[in-house]
Amino acid sequence: MPSNIFEAFSDPQLGRRLLAHLRELVGDEPMLMMEVCGTHTVAVSRAGLRSLIRPLELRSGPGCPVCVTDDSDLAAVVRLAKTERVTVATYGDMLRVPSSAGSLAEARAAGADVRVVYSALEGLKLAQQRREREVVLVAVGFETTAPGAALAARRAVERGVSNFSMVSLHKLIPPALQALLSPGRAALRGLLLPGHVSTVIGSRAFEFLSREFALPAAVAGFEPLDILGALITLVRAAKAGHPAVYNCYRRAVRPQGNPRARALLEEVFRPAPARWRGLGVVPDSGLVLREEYSAVDAARRFGIVPEESMPAPGCRCGEVLLGRIIPPECPLFGNGCTPGAPRGPCMVSSEGSCQAYYRYERGGELVGRRG
Amino acid sequence: MEVCVMCLAVPVQVARIQGSTGWVRTAAGEVRVDLTLVPQVRVGDWVLVHAGFALQVLDEEEARRSLEEWRRAVEHL
């Protein structure tokens, strides 16, 4: 017996039966669906699900925050890191992402002060400990990460920590999905929606998917049972022609999300256009600091002017992020671009599709059948 | 393997609370997390933690309901 109810979500026996039921529902009908979130990409690949659920095909979407950060934004951060007296605080995944100005790791090797932090508040603490430095947080992430950055911004202003600021590269998932689907939803029959983003914004925030695109969508958790349960719901809805938002992660996600976190986001940030790798500029898909918090706005403090994007030649990360190609279709995949020597962000991030495919999918059918 | 600290949100149990700070039990011992976003949290609750912040208190009753639903769906197999 599991020691708590949440451990039951990784029960392999129930997992096998859900898989059998899913395959029974899919039958011989090929169907294309998308997992939006990078954490789902990794969970699906690690469990070997992709090959087991065919002819249902799951494509990855624009849900890895490191991957969707545009080259020009990252290059601006790398240049900032090389500025005198500046300490850049970043989440670990960002460190090795290549940009046209090099990576943060390379800047650090050349003498820049780049620190890895695990939360936005750690960045603030670093600024309080090192008053002689300008500490700049590289604030990437979706609705899940942004509330923490909002709290750090508020505390910095309240406490007058004048040497702390952030580059807000936060991005919002619903406008990105809108942009992704607007040219036509192509052959997509369903969307697996990000569970953690939904804990903050709520399942209601995705209702436009059924309204505007007649697309079934299911909010899912990250255990194999969660993913299988949500896929069962999606296949049933797709076959019956019932587009709706289904909350299949009810232990964590409420329809209205987390009101406290949403209020904090609203207080500190306002939506603004943002550049996405793959999607280009998407209206209202980013978060910038409101006027009241301009004191912690690194873009203002350092006069950051974004330059042109120059992604690595040959890198097809942008198309991978839109589900247009799968990673092995990129000529660089495993051939000049590996997790050890990545050329693009999708191979760097542990949430990136290319890394997930490289680690878990290269054996094709064999990888899928393991375990 | 590297872990994406931005995206990892795992269920952990709250062991202690002091103001808006809490300590959760993990395999690596007790870890400090910020509880500002979950004002309703109590000691013993299970929470989702993401990048140093508890994002949501998990609902055990809903967890049971989901498992029940899935077990019913595969009863015929």
Side-chain angles (χ1 to χ4, degrees), chain A residues 139-293:
Chain A
V140 297
F142 297 124
E143 292 90 335
T144 343
T145 322
L151 196 62
R154 192 165 78 180
R155 285 195 191 159
V157 169
E158 279 168 3
R159 296 173 190 177
V161 186
S162 56
N163 63 325
F164 175 80
S165 62
M166 64 177 71
V167 182
S168 177
L169 299 175
H170 295 111
K171 295 193 170 48
L172 305 173
I173 288 287
L177 292 180
Q178 184 99 34
L180 180 77
L181 298 168
S182 287
R185 62 177 234 214
L188 274 186
R189 303 279 303 275
L191 285 179
L192 201 62
L193 294 175
H196 299 146
V197 163
S198 303
T199 59
V200 173
I201 63 174
S203 50
R204 252 183 233 152
F206 292 102
E207 277 170 3
F208 71 96
L209 291 169
S210 46
R211 213 172 42 235
E212 291 176 38
F213 301 100
L215 201 55
V219 177
F222 299 90
E223 298 294 342
L225 260 59
D226 287 308
I227 294 168
L228 289 165
L231 287 175
I232 287 171
T233 301
L234 281 178
V235 170
R236 275 195 202 136
K239 291 215 170 194
H242 285 155
V245 177
Y246 301 88
N247 183 358
C248 300
Y249 193 26
R250 289 193 305 272
R251 64 187 185 282
V253 173
R254 327 274 182 257
Q256 74 283 10
N258 179 332
R260 172 72 66 111
R262 285 173 48 203
L264 196 58
L265 286 180
E266 178 65 31
E267 179 198 317
V268 175
F269 296 112
R270 65 178 170 79
R275 257 170 317 212
W276 294 63
R277 194 183 296 263
L279 282 171
V281 176
V282 180
D284 291 338
S285 70
L287 291 174
V288 295
L289 289 151
R290 286 188 187 276
E291 194 59 36
E292 298 88 314
Y293 292 90

Side-chain angles (χ1 to χ4, degrees), chain A residues 4-6 8-9 14 17-18 20-21 24 39 42 46 65-66 91-93 96 117-121 140-141 144-145 147-148 151 154-155 196 199-200 225-226 229 236 248-252 254 257-258 260-261 264 348 350-351 355 359-360, chain B residues 1-13 20-21 32-40 44-77:
Chain A
N4 69 74
I5 186 77
F6 305 108
F9 285 84
L14 183 53
R17 297 179 73 197
L18 285 170
H21 183 45
E24 173 183 73
T39 311
V42 176
R46 187 160 44 206
V66 167
Y91 301 117
D93 255 31
R96 294 197 309 130
V117 291
Y118 295 94
S119 84
L121 291 179
V140 297
T144 343
T145 322
L151 196 62
R154 192 165 78 180
R155 285 195 191 159
H196 299 146
T199 59
V200 173
L225 260 59
D226 287 308
R236 275 195 202 136
C248 300
Y249 193 26
R250 289 193 305 272
R251 64 187 185 282
R254 327 274 182 257
N258 179 332
R260 172 72 66 111
L264 196 58
V348 179
S350 56
E351 301 261 298
Q355 186 174 130
R359 284 187 191 279
Y360 305 111
Chain B
M1 187 184 148
E2 274 175 69
V3 173
C4 176
V5 292
M6 283 178 290
C7 311
L8 189 74
V10 287
V12 281
Q13 197 172 24
S20 63
T21 301
R32 189 180 153 137
V33 298
D34 191 282
L35 300 174
T36 308
L37 304 176
V38 287
Q40 74 277 32
D45 280 350
W46 288 77
V47 291
L48 276 186
V49 173
H50 172 88
F53 293 84
L55 279 186
Q56 194 59 275
V57 177
L58 291 171
D59 186 328
E60 298 194 26
E61 197 42 54
E62 286 291 0
R64 263 181 214 101
R65 245 177 254 163
S66 292
L67 289 166
E68 221 16 76
E69 214 172 274
W70 294 333
R71 284 189 191 115
R72 270 203 311 276
V74 296
E75 252 170 13
H76 65 288
L77 290 172

Side-chain angles (χ1 to χ4, degrees), chain A residues 294-348:
Chain A
S294 57
V296 292
D297 190 345
R300 274 190 194 215
R301 187 176 301 184
F302 299 98
I304 298 172
V305 184
E307 292 173 28
E308 212 181 319
S309 295
M310 286 185 288
C315 172
R316 297 181 69 184
C317 208
E319 289 162 274
V320 169
L321 289 167
L322 304 183
R324 297 220 174 108
I325 63 167
I326 60 170
E329 290 179 79
C330 174
L332 292 180
F333 180 81
N335 180 24
C337 181
T338 61
R343 296 280 290 276
C346 299
M347 190 60 94
V348 179

